């Protein structure tokens, strides 16, 4: 059994999801400058899905460079509203502005998972959830914000789908971090020499595959899970 999984994130929600799927992990946050990286990638014309994938990969690679032989998992989520990225708020006033922008609108939560070893990515997956926020009045939005502590607000953004943020939405076509583990579970079961013996650990199954192929969606397109097609 693989028992040296490192989660390159300080997210307690992601740690809980891994543990619920039988994967023990050690938390080592990558602490990369996400805003600087986003700005650089946007200047190069990168789309939200590519940015999410790159951030997850950078987190995993940074920690795996310092953790020889260990399996490191990095993850990232980005809010995409009409092609524009909504970043984490710097203060509560900005958090209120963000929720007012999203109020009553459909948007995408682009999420990526990357697995790295010895400083290099060996597997990644990116997909999107379609969310429709309820039409809330100003008092309801302010009341919601009072229930979020500063630590969570500035670290994770204005909502967490796997946590209390589900209240905000009237409709969620979901593809969250938890469901990514289901995709890992569907991987081929052929043994990869450095992955150890057979077991039911979903991470181990990925590491046994003969090839590690990226499943990032094409640039400039968002996956529509309901119709199984791509939208430009």
């Amino acid at each position: 059994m693989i028992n040296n999984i490192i989660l390159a994130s300080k997210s307690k929600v992601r740690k809980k999801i891994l543990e619920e799927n039988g994967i023990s992990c050690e938390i080592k946050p990558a602490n990369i400058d996400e805003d600087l990286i986003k700005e650089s990638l946007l200047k190069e014309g990168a789309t939200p899905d590519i940015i999410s994938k790159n951030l997850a990969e950078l987190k995993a690679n940074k920690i795996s460079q310092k953790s020889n032989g260990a399996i490191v998992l990095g993850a990232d989520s980005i809010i995409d509203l009409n092609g524009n990225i909504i970043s984490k708020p710097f203060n509560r006033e900005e958090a209120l502005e963000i929720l007012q922008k999203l109020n009553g609108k459909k948007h995408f939560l682009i999420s990526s998972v990357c697995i790295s070893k010895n400083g290099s990515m060996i597997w990644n997956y990116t997909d999107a959830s379609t969310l429709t926020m309820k039409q809330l009045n100003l008092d309801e939005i302010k009341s919601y914000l009072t229930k979020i502590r500063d630590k969570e607000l500035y670290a994770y953004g204005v909502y967490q789908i796997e946590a209390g943020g589900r209240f905000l939405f009237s409709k969620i076509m979901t593809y969250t971090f938890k469901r990514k583990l289901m995709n890992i579970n569907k991987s081929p079961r052929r043994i990869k020499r450095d992955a150890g013996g057979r077991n039911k650990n979903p991470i181990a199954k990925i590491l046994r595959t003969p090839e590690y192929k990226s499943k990032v969606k094409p640039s400039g397109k968002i996956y529509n899970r309901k119709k199984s097609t791509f939208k430009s």
Side-chain angles (χ1 to χ4, degrees), residues 51-65:
I51 293 173
S52 175
K53 181 263 178 186
N54 273 271
L55 287 171
E57 181 179 352
L58 285 168
K59 292 174 185 178
N61 285 351
K62 180 180 178 180
I63 298 302
S64 68
Q65 287 172 351

Side-chain angles (χ1 to χ4, degrees), residues 18 50 58 72 90 92 129 176 179 186 189 224:
L18 286 170
I50 296 300
L58 285 168
V72 181
F90 287 104
R92 289 192 170 269
S129 301
T176 58
R179 292 190 63 186
K186 294 175 183 176
R189 298 189 179 186
N224 184 324

Side-chain angles (χ1 to χ4, degrees), residues 23-42:
I23 306 168
S24 60
C25 65
E26 177 185 0
I27 288 184
K28 289 187 179 180
N31 296 322
I32 63 174
D33 191 333
E34 295 187 24
D35 290 327
L36 183 63
I37 294 166
K38 287 177 187 176
E39 183 180 351
S40 176
L41 289 170
L42 285 170

Side-chain angles (χ1 to χ4, degrees), residues 136-182:
L136 304 174
N137 61 45
L138 185 58
D139 287 339
E140 289 174 320
I141 295 174
K142 288 182 177 180
S143 175
Y144 166 76
L145 284 174
T146 61
K147 299 173 184 176
I148 305 177
R149 296 182 300 176
D150 287 350
K151 184 177 180 181
E152 281 75 22
L153 181 62
Y154 303 140
Y156 308 125
V158 293
Y159 64 78
Q160 286 182 278
I161 295 304
E162 288 92 349
R166 188 171 291 271
F167 151 79
L168 294 170
F169 303 97
S170 59
K171 185 176 181 181
I172 299 177
M173 290 171 56
T174 185
Y175 197 88
T176 58
F177 179 82
K178 185 173 183 178
R179 292 190 63 186
K180 285 179 180 58
L181 294 180
M182 295 170 63

Side-chain angles (χ1 to χ4, degrees), residues 77-90:
S77 295
I78 284 179
I79 298 174
D80 174 8
L81 176 63
N82 300 324
N84 297 312
I85 291 176
I86 305 294
S87 297
K88 297 169 186 173
F90 287 104

Side-chain angles (χ1 to χ4, degrees), residues 69-163:
I71 303 305
V72 181
L73 189 150
D76 189 79
S77 295
I78 284 179
I79 298 174
D80 174 8
L81 176 63
N82 300 324
N84 297 312
I85 291 176
I86 305 294
S87 297
K88 297 169 186 173
F90 287 104
N91 52 52
R92 289 192 170 269
E93 289 74 21
E94 188 174 5
L96 179 61
E97 291 177 5
I98 290 172
L99 287 173
Q100 287 177 308
K101 286 181 181 178
L102 298 173
N103 195 22
K105 296 177 183 176
K106 182 174 74 174
H107 63 279
F108 298 99
L109 181 63
I110 314 253
S111 299
S112 299
V113 169
C114 172
I115 297 175
S116 295
K117 186 176 182 181
N118 298 328
S120 297
M121 178 184 71
I122 57 177
W123 182 87
N124 73 86
Y125 194 94
T126 296
D127 216 315
S129 301
T130 304
L131 302 94
T132 303
M133 186 172 165
K134 296 176 184 176
Q135 186 68 53
L136 304 174
N137 61 45
L138 185 58
D139 287 339
E140 289 174 320
I141 295 174
K142 288 182 177 180
S143 175
Y144 166 76
L145 284 174
T146 61
K147 299 173 184 176
I148 305 177
R149 296 182 300 176
D150 287 350
K151 184 177 180 181
E152 281 75 22
L153 181 62
Y154 303 140
Y156 308 125
V158 293
Y159 64 78
Q160 286 182 278
I161 295 304
E162 288 92 349

